[in-house]
Amino acid sequence: MLVAMSRMPDPRFRESVILILDHGEEGALGLIVNRPLSEVPLTELLSELEIATPATDLQVRLHFGGPVGMNRLFLLHSGDFSSESSETVAPGVQLTMDPEALGLIGRGEGPAEYLLAVGYSGWAAGQLEAEMRQGSWMDVQMRPEWIFADDPSKTWRTIFDKHVTRF
């Protein structure tokens, strides 16, 4: 995971916590996990995605995953659920890109914990490494409770206080 340092120059990432999904020679891709946008009725979201809508009054929280691909939806979830399109991205955390999984959540057949993110964060080759050398980011060992936090607004401070020594 990446944690924005307090001197982060880009306001879109200030006090953000990002789960890195892919990092290689061509660049990096991740999801901000501590920026809730709004709560929406699951039936409304499923209708927009043209997925059969179960009768439910479940509200789901949408998160801002990053400024790239704001038309893309990502489902991070606990390991108690898996489908053919699920991929383990970290211990206890999977990514499922199949929107049908949202219908399963509505029917109570999906994962116990999940995070729905709109958009993603991306870096070109070498860009993330340069930002880390500049001190914009700190990398920390991922913990599922930081991804699936009940109050994600506290996640950055929790991690920052635990990992940054104060003088």
Side-chain angles (χ1 to χ4, degrees), residues 68-84:
V68 183
M70 290 297 293
N71 61 339
R72 296 192 56 193
L73 186 66
F74 297 82
L75 174 62
L76 290 174
H77 58 85
S78 51
D80 61 334
F81 169 81
S82 188
S83 73
E84 289 181 17

Side-chain angles (χ1 to χ4, degrees), residues 15-81:
E15 295 190 0
S16 64
V17 177
I18 299 179
L19 175 64
I20 295 296
L21 301 176
D22 189 32
H23 184 226
E25 291 180 15
E26 296 179 14
L29 180 140
L31 297 174
I32 298 173
V33 298
N34 67 323
R35 291 271 168 77
L37 288 171
S38 63
E39 294 214 1
V40 298
L42 180 60
T43 53
E44 183 179 303
L45 184 60
L46 292 172
S47 177
E48 287 183 31
L49 295 170
E50 299 180 356
I51 296 172
T53 306
T56 180
D57 59 355
L58 182 65
Q59 296 279 318
V60 293
R61 184 184 325 163
L62 291 177
H63 286 255
F64 173 70
V68 183
M70 290 297 293
N71 61 339
R72 296 192 56 193
L73 186 66
F74 297 82
L75 174 62
L76 290 174
H77 58 85
S78 51
D80 61 334
F81 169 81

